[in-house]
Amino acid sequence: MARMLMRGNEALAEAAIRAGCKAFFGYPITPQNEIPGYMAEHLPLRGGVFLQAESEVAAINMVYGAAGAGARVMTSSSSPGISLKQEGISYIAAGELPCVIVNVMRCGPGLGGIHPSQGDYFQAVKGGGHGDYRLIVLAPGSVQEMADLTMLAFELADKWRNPVMILADGTLGQMMEPVEFSAETKSEPVEKPWATTGAVNRKPNVINTLDIVPESLERVNHRLLAKYERIKEEEVRWQAVGVKDADLILVGYGTSARVARSAMEQARRDGLKVGLFRPISLFPFPEKQIRELAKAERQFLVVEMSGGQMVEDVRLAVDGRSPVHFTNRLGGMVPTPEEVLEKVESILEGRGN
Amino acid sequence: MRVVFEKPEAMTDSPMHYCPGCTHGVIHRLVAEAIDSLGIREQTIGVASVGCSVFAYDYFNVDMQQAAHGRAPAVATGIKRVLPDKMVFTYQGDGDLASIGMGEIVHAAARGENITVIFVNNAIYGMTSGQMAPTTLVGQKTATSPRGRSAAETGYPIRMCELLATLDGPSYLARVSSHDTKHIIQAGRAIKKAFEMQQQNKGFAMVEVLSTCSVNWGMTPAKSMEWLAENMIPYYPLGVYKDITAEEGK
Amino acid sequence: MRGQVIVDQERCKECSLCITACPHDVLRISAAINSKGYHPVEAYQPENCTGCTFCATICPDVALTIMRKRPERK
């Protein structure tokens, strides 16, 4: 299929349909409205169901029902809406129901604004709702990755019986870039013998998250934690550019990584040894990969559109082996490559922060 | 001699956890009998809610999903939309359906979502030990209205059948009672009808079953049945609030 | 004896609703104790049973099975 120019949100939606998404439940919120718009237009014509729910809360519970019934299902929203979905996400994680949840982040807290942000990092990677659970969190850095990671998200959701979040932001959702779709995904039907499809010639299946016996619920928790450990071993994804000889490694994901990449390229032209490390999976976080890069004579600079969230995970990974610096913009402001470069120069010149 | 009454196939052998005399057990049986009589046990997916009936998934011998508090109609919508040929029902109490889940039930009804809703109204929160419900009668004493529900402070009990009857989506809305054998038999007919509506793709059908909570009402089971008849039925009149098949027949 | 009521003693919770529903005074609370500590009902006047099913209809625990001699009502 030829490359075509698409908006990030639309590329994501098209990829979901190609990945075999059979149902979409959502509620309007800026800046992700192109996703339900595209789904409403195309999904019913391609064998799926689109339904605009009465609320984010209802939408995520419709996802619970459809996922429990064995369908590939997706919802999308933006930050305040994702907060509303947290209860349902906790239930979905507890019920081990595969689904894809898209967060096209906008700035907060509260109603905040409609401009891009990365303020939901903690919410996405540390749980977000109640109880001990993890989402698999994928952070696209381009329109192409909005498509590719969405397809991957459906596969990982089924593989691990776990909700997968695409953590994008308003910039990635709205920007237009060329995108190419690989040949129609085979989307072979995954066997889901646990799904509630009607108890024909078998005992009834039950999708349930209640367990009032502590000994039993502790076993459930241990089983979930063991799954997350396996996910950490098998599903770490990242991109590293120019890190081998780097005196300073920029770390960023999504839009921040794009800005950092521009700053890195300018720094290299200026003769500065600067690299870029871009986590693609935020859970599991590429902890070992960052640790392996950490050494005394090397510094890190984390670039965020949030108030110091991923930098905590970078510091945990670096574990004191290298200085870790931080730069950010907030409130819907996007850092410029010049700002980042200036920070890089000041660090390398020993002017510190 | 032959068997004329026994546990329906759509119920499991698990003993139920409900308090002695709790009408949940009766209503479970009526739902299971409806499923058996329509021969749909293998096509049915039930949604249990939060409250005393949270363990309903242990008692119905059909595929079940357990939903978050109030969200059963949304969960049922998700199931029904991807499995439109299956029979989907929710089983919800008054706190679940008429308080925290008011949004979900109203919109499922407004969409005419082709599901069957069994709404058990006993005018109190049972599982959490007897707090005031959206259906608690004015003057009724509960753990959180210890001097009796005051309309001035907490408003008035909600009549769900009447409220949903203002919408065009529902195909069948009926209020029945579980306080004596005659009314239980009538309730069984209404529940079967609500499943038939779904089978015929007529859209949203709900049966509200007036029910008791003898432990939290502080009465014997037999006295609770009398209290229901004397106090609840006058405020919650029994009857069919909507039936599009009756309208079609006109 | 036109009918017969069979009590699943383990399911019975001694709520007595069946006793109030029975029009022919067939049932009473027994002296037995089941594993949950309830005294299950028993048919102490089984000869009175008509198999009307009123007791089973109101039983919340589906503890009663009813047999009847006559053909089933339609």
Side-chain angles (χ1 to χ4, degrees):
Chain A
M1 186 172 175
R3 281 157 72 86
M4 49 188 172
L5 198 62
M6 282 185 97
R7 201 179 291 275
N9 283 338
E10 290 171 350
L12 183 153
E14 173 62 26
I17 298 174
R18 285 166 185 261
C21 178
K22 289 295 174 211
F24 179 94
F25 304 100
Y27 184 80
I29 183 170
T30 307
Q32 59 83 57
N33 291 319
E34 295 79 7
I35 298 174
Y38 195 95
M39 286 303 205
E41 180 75 30
H42 297 276
L43 191 52
L45 305 177
R46 289 155 76 177
V49 176
F50 168 86
L51 183 62
Q52 180 169 317
E54 63 270 28
S55 69
E56 298 293 1
V57 175
I60 194 68
N61 282 284
M62 290 172 186
V63 169
Y64 178 101
R72 278 194 164 175
V73 55
M74 182 168 96
T75 185
S76 68
S77 188
S78 180
S79 307
I82 295 290
S83 292
L84 280 168
K85 289 185 195 290
Q86 290 302 328
E87 177 201 40
I89 293 173
S90 172
Y91 279 67
I92 287 168
E96 295 189 87
L97 301 177
C99 68
V100 175
I101 302 153
V102 180
N103 182 0
V104 182
M105 286 183 284
R106 59 187 255 185
C107 42
L111 197 50
I114 59 169
H115 290 92
S117 160
Q118 297 180 322
D120 306 345
Y121 177 90
F122 280 156
Q123 186 194 52
V125 307
K126 307 295 183 191
H130 59 282
D132 274 300
Y133 73 90
R134 288 289 187 273
L135 308 177
I136 296 172
V137 182
L138 303 175
S142 64
V143 173
Q144 184 66 54
E145 277 193 353
M146 290 285 266
D148 294 346
L149 294 183
T150 298
M151 290 199 174
L152 176 66
F154 280 98
E155 281 173 34
L156 295 182
D158 280 343
K159 176 181 174 186
W160 294 101
R161 279 193 65 181
N162 207 71
V164 179
M165 178 171 277
I166 301 288
L167 194 66
D169 63 59
T171 304
L172 287 160
Q174 299 298 322
M175 69 194 291
M176 294 185 82
E177 280 183 336
V179 58
E180 191 169 9
F181 293 96
S182 47
E184 197 81 27
T185 317
K186 288 181 287 289
S187 85
E188 286 162 15
V190 181
E191 286 290 318
K192 295 180 179 176
W194 47 265
T196 58
T197 54
V200 180
N201 298 321
R202 59 161 171 76
K203 286 184 176 169
N205 285 338
V206 177
I207 304 293
N208 175 38
T209 68
L210 177 70
D211 192 336
I212 57 167
V213 180
E215 291 82 355
S216 170
L217 187 54
E218 187 179 45
R219 281 195 294 277
V220 171
N221 271 270
H222 278 309
R223 185 168 51 73
L224 289 175
L225 292 176
K227 178 172 85 171
Y228 304 143
E229 286 305 315
R230 292 200 305 281
I231 291 171
K232 281 183 186 176
E233 281 163 25
E234 294 184 35
E235 304 297 352
V236 176
R237 286 170 170 82
W238 75 97
Q239 183 191 27
V241 186
V243 294
K244 279 192 182 143
D245 67 338
D247 294 326
L248 183 145
I249 296 176
L250 292 162
V251 187
Y253 70 95
T255 295
S256 293
R258 294 172 70 96
V259 174
R261 173 100 190 213
S262 298
M264 183 205 90
E265 285 166 359
Q266 185 57 48
R268 285 278 171 181
R269 284 194 289 273
D270 296 346
L272 299 172
K273 289 180 180 171
V274 174
L276 171 69
F277 188 94
R278 178 170 73 95
I280 295 172
S281 60
L282 300 181
F283 185 92
F285 192 70
E287 196 179 326
K288 285 178 199 158
Q289 292 72 19
I290 289 177
R291 182 165 302 154
E292 282 162 13
L293 291 171
K295 52 183 182 180
E297 59 275 26
R298 177 174 282 162
Q299 308 194 65
F300 287 81
L301 173 59
V302 178
V303 186
E304 289 182 19
M305 287 147 64
S306 47
Q309 299 194 26
M310 189 176 74
V311 66
E312 292 192 3
D313 285 335
V314 175
R315 288 200 173 110
L316 283 169
V318 165
D319 200 16
R321 291 177 176 86
S322 298
V324 177
H325 307 274
F326 176 63
T327 188
N328 71 331
R329 292 300 299 270
L330 294 163
M333 298 300 293
V334 178
T336 64
E338 293 73 25
E339 286 167 7
V340 175
L341 185 59
E342 197 176 311
K343 184 85 176 177
V344 167
E345 287 164 352
S346 78
I347 293 167
L348 290 177
E349 286 164 18
R351 285 189 274 122
N353 294 320
Chain B
M1 296 273 256
R2 59 201 185 87
V3 173
V4 290
F5 192 106
E6 63 183 335
K7 185 174 68 60
E9 197 193 350
M11 279 188 100
T12 66
D13 291 330
S14 303
M16 289 178 277
H17 72 284
Y18 300 113
C19 304
C22 175
T23 41
H24 264 312
V26 173
I27 302 163
H28 281 15
R29 177 177 60 75
L30 297 177
V31 171
E33 284 176 351
I35 290 169
D36 281 2
S37 71
L38 296 172
I40 54 170
R41 193 188 69 79
E42 294 181 334
Q43 286 84 51
T44 298
I45 299 146
V47 182
S49 60
V50 169
C52 287
S53 59
V54 68
F55 295 110
Y57 54 79
D58 278 339
Y59 309 140
F60 288 113
N61 190 20
V62 303
D63 275 6
M64 293 288 294
Q65 293 198 21
Q66 208 293 309
H69 204 188
R71 316 302 172 217
V75 171
T77 297
I79 299 168
K80 186 71 181 184
R81 290 293 177 123
V82 299
L83 298 174
D85 298 332
K86 305 293 178 181
M87 298 289 285
V88 181
F89 76 92
T90 71
Y91 188 102
Q92 304 174 257
D94 43 75
D96 187 274
L97 181 140
S99 190
I100 196 167
M102 181 61 102
E104 283 76 10
I105 193 66
V106 167
H107 283 275
R111 284 193 301 270
E113 205 67 49
N114 193 27
I115 59 173
T116 300
V117 173
I118 309 301
F119 169 38
V120 180
N121 177 4
N122 66 358
I124 204 160
Y125 284 80
M127 188 66 136
T128 47
S129 68
Q131 291 83 1
M132 189 185 77
T135 49
T136 292
L137 298 174
V138 171
Q140 187 182 340
K141 286 183 181 173
T142 71
T144 49
S145 58
R147 287 165 292 280
R149 179 174 185 167
S150 150
E153 284 176 21
T154 59
Y156 297 88
I158 298 171
R159 297 181 181 97
M160 285 306 301
C161 278
E162 290 86 333
L163 192 155
L164 296 182
T166 65
L167 301 170
D168 291 337
S171 68
Y172 181 68
L173 299 166
R175 184 181 291 122
V176 296
S177 179
S178 61
H179 72 280
D180 62 25
T181 49
K182 178 184 143 201
H183 285 89
I184 289 170
I185 290 164
Q186 288 170 352
R189 287 196 200 109
I191 288 170
K192 185 177 175 190
K193 168 112 181 169
F195 276 95
E196 286 170 340
M197 298 303 264
Q198 182 180 170
Q199 213 170 22
Q200 295 159 18
N201 291 311
K202 301 285 187 195
F204 185 92
M206 184 181 88
V207 177
E208 174 177 347
V209 188
L210 300 183
S211 172
T212 64
C213 183
S214 60
V215 168
N216 286 303
W217 288 1
M219 302 170 200
T220 64
K223 182 76 188 152
S224 297
M225 297 302 205
E226 289 170 21
W227 194 89
L228 185 165
E230 287 164 15
N231 296 278
M232 287 185 73
I233 292 176
Y235 189 85
Y236 297 112
L238 306 183
V240 174
Y241 287 83
K242 188 154 189 192
D243 181 355
I244 61 165
T245 56
E247 288 159 22
E248 282 164 6
K250 277 177 194 165
Chain C
M1 194 166 87
R2 286 183 289 160
Q4 187 186 350
V5 52
I6 301 160
V7 181
D8 183 335
Q9 300 215 336
E10 276 306 304
R11 288 184 81 101
C12 178
K13 291 181 188 147
E14 199 189 336
C15 74
S16 304
L17 287 172
C18 56
I19 298 173
T20 57
C22 175
H24 304 292
D25 197 17
V26 174
L27 298 160
R28 69 174 177 192
I29 301 292
S30 74
I33 297 180
N34 68 19
S35 67
K36 290 200 178 69
Y38 295 115
H39 299 285
V41 292
E42 64 179 355
Y44 84 111
Q45 300 193 95
E47 64 281 4
N48 289 357
C49 182
T50 62
C52 73
T53 75
F54 280 19
C55 57
T57 299
I58 205 159
C59 172
D61 289 285
V62 205
L64 306 176
T65 301
I66 310 297
M67 314 273 282
R68 194 190 297 150
K69 259 182 193 158
R70 285 196 310 181
E72 205 170 338
R73 286 178 301 177
K74 266 290 166 192

